Amino acid sequence: MGGTSETWLRLGTILLLSLSVVLSGCGGGNAKPSGNNTPEQTATGNNDGKVEPFEISIFIGEAGQQPTPDNKIYKMIKEETGATFKFEFLAGDIDQKLGVMIAGGDYPDMMTDNQKLKAAGAFIPLEDLVEEHAPNLKKHYEKYWNMMKDPNDGHIYTLPNYGVYNSDPDTTWYSGPAFWIQKDVLADAGYPQVKTLDEYFDLIAKYKEKYPTIDGTPTIGFEILNYDWRNWGLFNAPQHLIGHPNDGGVVVKDGKAEIFADKDYAKQYYKKLNEMNAAGIIDKETFTQNYDQYMAKISSSAVLGMFDQHWNFQSAEDSLTTQKKFERTYVGLPLVYDEGIKDHYKDRPALNLDNGFGITVNASEEQAVRIIKLLDTLIQEEWQKIFTWGIEGEDYYVNEEGRFMKTQEQRDKFTDGTWKLANKADAFYGRAPKMQGKFSDGNSTDAAAQPEEYKAGLNEYDKNFLAQYGFNSYVDFFSPAPENEIAYPAWSVDLVDGSEAKIVNTKQNELSTKFLPKAILAKPSEFDSVWDEYTKEIGKLNIKAYEDRINEVLQWRRDTWTVK
């Protein structure tokens, strides 16, 4: 499991609000997108040019926080298009929630993508709607149109939220998987080059012994997150340690996918975790905590390291930045088993299939047209700048060279979780179609990736830290990303609910969730017997059905995907 995707706002323990709030009001912002659509083309305009108010109900398939009722971006959207949003965020188990929805056919207008929803026929095909009503969206996805088609019936059900680039992406920020380590651990050790798993844990062990508490909290050497769909924290590291990119539950060698859960190179990793647990390095609560508890520990300054994807814990790191605990923020390390292996953590952005929004069968035909026209309006550059940079003169300024920049006060706000709820539209934008790369004026679509803004925004601690390594940004710790194989990544293959492949994958994940914690927490003398029992149970599954499905789709992609 696991892929790239979005960064969501969860600081500490989040109050989950399953009751939806209608975002309403008028006014907002001192800059408004002008747009160039005729009234017939806009999301809600009628022939006299006036906007007609309408509400879109949206289910977000993960936990989150409601924006404030006076959020300035949502106010602008209402004023300019007439649209308001009624968000419902996941509270509890996603499979249980979707099961209830599917059984009752009770869907909102829009939902975030999920294979269960596709299998249940919850989404309407979008290709004709886009062709007829959304010229901006069609142009946006033009190069990726074939990739978006469902391999089972050829329809397009959802609009991918990430991976549509109009230029080579700027690389000043890394969002993907790595072994993360607190900067102070490296600084305290004299800024060493850390390449291998053994070196990494040796540093953490020494630092933990030297500093048994951090800010009055007992030091935690290493965290592992295995909660709900975020199971990559426990499952995925072995593929990277042998020099492969993130393909989810498989490694693709010479074009063929195979599971790695039962391989010797996976055993090597979990045996190391077993040793670290015996040495008191791994958090005792690591396999009983939920996501919010995990995030709270990271934001407490006490966690020295973890294997995770950066976007998944970024809001906790933002909390550390807001507290100006820069030395407690993290560096991603592309660890391998030995220095003869070249790291392949960093990849070129792939289309984020099975993510983004779909329109459900419960939306009326009129509502579906309104939604697709709204999305078509909001993909325009003037709106995309508002979603990413904010309001000119309020959230950023334009220098004499026409480059977007921020003051330090503005930068600080963009990492403040409370401020974001009132001044950003992340709940919508994170899952919506988006421009990535550069705007037509050359500015980056991502403020964090604007080279001069990144450098100007570095605090003195990070400037000195990077100087010790001779790097310009923290991305420089990773080897450059090679070209993606056309079918990459395998983690986005739809296994099809109810199929043998899906059943086998589910059972394998259940076995991993059961046996890997048991193996890690076992006495070192008992590790081998637990591992043998684990691999024996995997051997009872029809793994070939799972691998065959992935390989079938990978080959289909090679045969049918084209990128102009």
Side-chain angles (χ1 to χ4, degrees):
M1 292 292 296
T4 59
S5 246
E6 310 95 324
T7 302
W8 317 127
L9 187 62
R10 300 173 191 82
L11 298 176
T13 302
I14 292 176
L15 177 61
L16 301 178
L17 301 175
S18 59
L19 295 177
S20 303
V21 174
V22 179
L23 302 172
S24 58
C26 57
N30 56 13
K32 299 176 183 177
S34 58
N36 55 11
N37 284 347
T38 65
E40 290 80 13
Q41 291 173 315
T42 58
T44 57
N46 55 30
N47 289 332
D48 61 10
K50 294 180 181 178
V51 296
E52 298 176 356
F54 69 107
E55 178 184 275
I56 303 172
S57 56
I58 301 177
F59 175 74
I60 306 292
E62 58 181 294
Q65 286 181 292
Q66 293 286 353
T68 61
D70 62 345
N71 179 289
K72 70 182 182 186
I73 307 301
Y74 292 115
K75 279 187 175 182
M76 290 184 67
I77 293 174
K78 180 182 180 181
E79 184 179 61
E80 297 297 318
T81 72
T84 56
F85 304 105
K86 186 169 79 172
F87 291 110
E88 179 186 359
F89 295 94
L90 176 66
D93 179 74
I94 183 64
D95 290 335
Q96 182 179 6
K97 174 65 175 179
L98 294 182
V100 172
M101 289 177 127
I102 291 168
D106 184 19
Y107 308 120
D109 297 322
M110 286 208 302
M111 298 181 71
T112 45
D113 197 359
N114 186 284
Q115 292 174 358
K116 288 182 180 295
L117 293 172
K118 286 180 180 174
F123 293 127
I124 64 172
L126 298 178
E127 59 269 20
D128 290 344
L129 278 172
V130 172
E131 294 276 5
E132 184 175 355
H133 301 289
N136 298 314
L137 281 177
K138 183 60 190 297
K139 182 178 179 182
H140 176 69
Y141 288 116
E142 186 175 17
K143 295 180 180 179
Y144 302 86
W145 199 246
N146 285 342
M147 293 184 178
M148 295 162 60
K149 294 178 179 178
D150 189 292
N152 300 304
D153 61 20
H155 285 303
I156 294 172
Y157 292 104
T158 52
L159 302 174
N161 54 344
Y162 286 96
V164 177
Y165 278 80
N166 58 23
S167 68
D168 287 338
D170 292 319
T171 55
T172 56
W173 194 83
Y174 176 70
S175 65
F179 282 88
W180 300 89
I181 193 167
Q182 266 194 14
K183 291 168 185 171
D184 196 56
V185 178
L186 297 178
D188 190 72
Y191 305 97
Q193 296 284 346
V194 185
K195 301 293 186 182
T196 69
L197 189 68
D198 288 339
E199 292 169 343
Y200 173 82
F201 277 117
D202 184 55
L203 279 175
I204 286 176
K206 289 178 179 176
Y207 189 92
K208 185 176 185 298
E209 183 178 7
K210 186 176 181 180
Y211 304 102
T213 62
I214 296 175
D215 297 337
T217 301
T219 303
I220 297 171
F222 191 74
E223 281 287 1
I224 305 168
L225 179 65
N226 179 37
Y227 182 74
D228 200 19
W229 54 274
R230 292 179 169 89
N231 53 21
W232 61 79
L234 178 63
F235 293 177
N236 281 14
Q239 64 188 320
H240 297 295
L241 290 166
I242 63 168
H244 280 260
N246 178 21
D247 269 308
V250 297
V251 161
V252 180
K253 296 181 178 179
D254 300 322
K256 293 293 183 182
E258 65 175 17
I259 70 163
F260 59 84
D262 59 349
K263 301 298 186 290
D264 285 343
Y265 59 84
K267 178 181 180 180
Q268 183 179 348
Y269 174 61
Y270 296 110
K271 189 174 183 67
K272 183 68 177 182
L273 293 184
N274 173 267
E275 294 170 2
M276 291 300 98
N277 179 69
I281 302 302
I282 294 177
D283 180 16
K284 294 179 180 179
E285 299 175 340
T286 200
F287 295 121
T288 59
Q289 65 191 351
N290 62 27
Y291 177 71
D292 294 329
Q293 292 166 329
Y294 169 79
M295 294 289 275
K297 288 179 180 178
I298 291 174
S299 60
S300 76
S301 307
V303 177
L304 301 184
M306 60 275 180
F307 175 85
D308 201 349
Q309 299 194 31
H310 200 180
W311 64 266
N312 189 49
F313 70 90
Q314 187 199 356
S315 61
E317 188 176 44
D318 284 348
S319 175
L320 295 169
T321 300
T322 299
Q323 299 172 62
K324 299 192 182 302
K325 295 181 178 180
F326 306 117
E327 76 282 7
R328 301 300 174 196
T329 59
Y330 295 88
V331 178
L333 299 177
L335 302 182
V336 289
Y337 280 131
D338 63 69
E339 293 194 25
I341 300 171
K342 184 175 182 179
D343 64 274
H344 190 168
Y345 287 71
K346 189 170 180 287
D347 56 12
R348 291 177 181 258
L351 190 66
N352 203 26
L353 296 171
D354 299 319
N355 283 281
F357 283 130
I359 301 174
T360 75
V361 294
N362 284 14
S364 67
E365 182 177 349
E366 182 182 18
Q367 182 76 335
V369 171
R370 287 196 192 106
I371 291 171
I372 210 71
K373 285 186 174 182
L374 175 67
L375 295 176
D376 194 61
T377 296
L378 298 181
I379 195 61
Q380 293 179 92
E381 185 168 295
E382 54 264 39
W383 277 108
Q384 292 293 301
K385 288 179 178 177
I386 290 170
F387 286 131
T388 54
W389 285 88
I391 308 300
E392 181 183 345
E394 185 176 332
D395 301 318
Y396 71 98
Y397 66 93
V398 183
N399 67 16
E400 293 180 356
E401 291 76 36
R403 303 294 290 171
F404 293 0
M405 299 288 290
K406 296 178 186 176
T407 65
Q408 190 54 52
E409 181 182 1
Q410 289 167 340
R411 294 183 192 109
D412 291 343
K413 287 179 178 178
F414 267 69
T415 60
D416 186 301
T418 302
W419 181 89
K420 284 184 177 183
L421 289 176
N423 296 277
K424 296 279 285 179
D426 289 348
F428 169 80
Y429 175 72
R431 290 85 177 175
K434 56 180 58 64
M435 289 180 63
Q436 290 186 270
K438 289 181 172 62
F439 294 123
S440 60
D441 56 17
N443 284 291
S444 175
T445 57
D446 179 5
Q450 183 97 315
E452 59 267 59
E453 168 58 23
Y454 173 81
K455 291 178 182 177
L458 282 175
N459 57 73
E460 289 303 315
Y461 180 88
D462 285 298
K463 286 179 182 177
N464 175 69
F465 190 98
L466 287 169
Q468 299 298 320
Y469 285 95
F471 292 158
N472 292 316
S473 78
Y474 289 102
V475 175
D476 293 341
F477 280 84
F478 298 81
S479 293
E483 290 287 348
N484 292 339
E485 199 261 333
I486 185 65
Y488 177 82
W491 61 258
S492 63
V493 169
D494 182 359
L495 298 178
V496 184
D497 269 4
S499 71
E500 179 73 3
K502 181 71 171 182
I503 293 169
V504 168
N505 178 242
T506 299
K507 289 181 177 179
Q508 183 196 316
N509 287 344
E510 289 172 352
L511 288 174
S512 297
T513 299
K514 174 184 178 180
F515 279 98
L516 291 179
K518 185 177 179 181
I520 292 166
L521 300 177
K523 295 179 181 179
S525 61
E526 299 173 354
F527 174 84
D528 285 342
S529 63
V530 175
W531 183 264
D532 289 345
E533 184 181 1
Y534 169 53
T535 54
K536 183 178 179 181
E537 290 299 314
I538 290 178
K540 295 177 182 178
L541 302 177
N542 184 12
I543 294 296
K544 187 176 184 299
Y546 168 61
E547 293 175 339
D548 283 351
R549 169 61 180 173
I550 292 178
N551 283 314
E552 173 190 337
V553 174
L554 293 185
Q555 189 57 51
W556 176 84
R557 290 177 178 179
R558 295 183 190 106
D559 293 339
T560 60
W561 281 8
T562 58
V563 179
K564 297 180 183 178

